[in-house]
Amino acid sequence: MEQLITQFRAMGSPCEFRFYGPRKCILDAAAKRCFDHIQTLEQKYSRYISTSLLQEINQYAATRTVAIDPETYFLLQYSQACFEQSDGLFDITSGVLRKIWHTTMTRLPSEAMRQACMRNIGFEKLNYDSTSIRFAATEMEIDLGGVVKEYAADTALNIAKETGVKAGVINLGGDLCCFGTCPFSNTWQIGIAHPEDHNQAIRQIKLAEGAISTSGNYERFYLVEGKRYSHLMDPRSGWPIQGLISVTVIAPQAVVAGSLSSIAMLHSKPAALTWLYSLGIEFLAIDTDLKCYGDLAPDTRKPAYEEAPLST
C-alpha cells in the first residue's frame, strides 16, 4: 500500500491530504485533481478575489440580476436551510457587520452605525432561483465562507475515490473527511486541539469513516476599551455572541458537521447545549471555563492525552 501526504494552504487555512492506494501514480493524480478542484472553488467563491463569482454577485446584485450556476444554487439552498434551522442565526448576509466590527476599532459601534448595517442583513432579502440572484437592499453582500470549505472537503473526497484512492483523510483547515480503512488500524485517530494550547489535544477521536468539524472563537476576537468581544455576530441584533468557545461535531458529511458546529457557536451556551443534545449527534462542546460537554467529552480522570497525528 503506497502513501502520499501533501500539505498546502487554501481558503485561508493549512490543509493536508493523506492518501493510500495501490500505486503512487494514482495518489499523485488524485492529489492534483483534488487540489485543482479546491483552488477552483476558492477562485469562484472567495470574497478576497476580485474576479470571483461571489464578488460579482456582491458588486452587481443590488442593481441587476446576476446569473448563477447549479453549484451556486445548491450552496444558496443549503445556506437557506441553515438559516431556517438556526432561527436566523446562520445568515450569509451578515458579513456587512465587518464594516463596524473590526480589529482596528477603538470604540464600540454607535447605534446609528449598527442600524445602518442591519438594514442590509437578512436572508429573506435575497431573491434567487436556479439561474439568478438579486438583492433587495442596496448595500447587501453575501459570504459563503461558512459552507464552501466544508463543501470542498466533501467534493474532493468524491474525486479522490473516483481517481482510485482506497483510503485517506482530507483536512481543510480543521474540516476533515475520512474514508476507507486506515492502514495502521481500523479507525482514524483525530486530535481536537486544546483551546489554550494548540500543541496539545484536549480529546482524541477514533473515526472509522465520515467527517468531523470544529468551530471556535478562541483565536479571533475584538478588544475594545479593555473588553474582549467574540468575532461571532448575532445577525438579528448586530452584537457579538457570548457562548461556547469551541464545538466539534461528527457527521456523515463535512458540510453538515461544519454547519452544525457553526450554528451551535452562534447560540448562547444554554441554548447551544440544549440544541446539540436534541440532535442526537456526537459532539464535544467547551465553555469559557474549559468544561466539556457531549458524548465526545474527555474522561477527566485521565491526566493527559497523547498528541494525535491529525488535528481539527
Side-chain angles (χ1 to χ4, degrees):
M1 181 77 72
E2 296 288 337
Q3 171 184 271
L4 174 70
I5 299 178
T6 302
Q7 296 179 331
F8 58 97
R9 286 193 66 85
M11 300 183 175
S13 305
C15 304
E16 182 181 79
F17 300 147
R18 293 194 179 197
F19 291 163
Y20 302 87
R23 295 195 300 277
K24 182 70 159 51
C25 61
I26 291 176
L27 305 183
D28 288 337
K32 184 180 186 308
R33 285 189 63 197
C34 290
F35 177 78
D36 290 346
H37 172 69
I38 292 165
Q39 290 287 94
T40 297
L41 290 175
E42 184 168 16
Q43 292 292 319
K44 187 175 181 179
Y45 295 116
S46 174
R47 65 183 176 89
Y48 300 105
I49 298 175
S50 61
T51 56
S52 70
L53 172 61
L54 184 81
Q55 288 297 72
E56 179 185 356
I57 292 171
N58 287 338
Q59 185 174 357
Y60 297 112
T63 56
R64 62 172 173 84
T65 58
V66 177
I68 61 173
D69 60 4
E71 184 172 60
T72 306
Y73 180 57
F74 165 78
L75 292 173
L76 289 170
Q77 284 187 304
Y78 188 81
S79 298
Q80 181 173 355
C82 292
F83 173 79
E84 293 169 353
Q85 292 295 316
S86 66
D87 294 326
L89 284 171
F90 189 104
D91 192 335
I92 61 173
T93 71
S94 63
V96 293
L97 287 168
R98 287 189 298 270
K99 295 179 180 179
I100 62 172
W101 291 94
H102 47 81
T103 55
T104 59
M105 62 193 299
T106 57
R107 63 182 63 184
L108 293 177
S110 67
E111 181 63 15
M113 295 167 62
R114 188 184 66 84
Q115 290 292 347
C117 269
M118 296 303 295
R119 285 194 288 270
N120 295 293
I121 295 175
F123 198 98
E124 68 281 357
K125 296 183 177 73
L126 296 182
N127 299 311
Y128 74 96
D129 56 28
S130 60
T131 61
S132 65
I133 184 172
R134 183 159 184 172
F135 297 160
T138 56
E139 296 184 29
M140 283 190 74
E141 60 181 61
I142 60 173
D143 187 345
L144 292 171
V147 294
V148 167
K149 185 155 62 73
E150 295 85 350
Y151 169 77
D154 288 330
T155 48
L157 179 148
N158 292 333
I159 290 172
K161 287 181 175 180
E162 291 169 1
T163 312
V165 178
K166 299 303 181 184
V169 177
I170 292 174
N171 181 356
L172 302 187
D175 297 307
L176 281 79
C177 291
C178 310
F179 64 99
T181 302
C182 177
F184 311 111
S185 65
N186 292 326
T187 57
W188 303 95
Q189 184 173 273
I190 301 167
I192 309 301
H194 194 292
E196 294 187 348
D197 183 0
H198 293 179
N199 295 318
Q200 177 185 347
I202 195 170
R203 182 73 169 96
Q204 290 186 27
I205 309 299
K206 292 183 178 180
L207 186 62
E209 197 162 39
I212 185 168
S213 180
T214 296
S215 298
N217 70 355
Y218 42 83
E219 290 183 324
R220 296 171 57 193
F221 58 89
Y222 307 117
L223 191 62
V224 185
E225 298 176 343
K227 185 175 179 180
R228 177 170 167 159
Y229 294 87
S230 170
H231 77 286
L232 298 173
M233 297 286 156
D234 186 335
R236 303 168 304 186
S237 68
W239 283 94
I241 291 170
Q242 303 299 323
L244 298 164
I245 63 170
S246 177
V247 176
T248 299
V249 170
I250 291 177
Q253 294 88 30
V255 71
V256 175
S259 56
L260 293 181
S261 61
S262 296
I263 291 171
M265 287 294 301
L266 293 169
H267 282 289
S268 66
K269 174 185 168 181
L273 292 175
T274 299
W275 183 70
L276 285 167
Y277 280 117
S278 73
L279 296 174
I281 58 173
E282 292 184 283
F283 73 91
L284 168 63
I286 306 174
D287 67 14
T288 53
D289 296 321
L290 299 183
K291 185 175 180 180
C292 298
Y293 306 84
D295 293 340
L296 302 178
D299 184 345
T300 54
R301 292 172 298 176
K302 297 180 181 179
Y305 292 90
E306 297 178 2
E307 185 176 354
L310 302 169
S311 62
T312 179

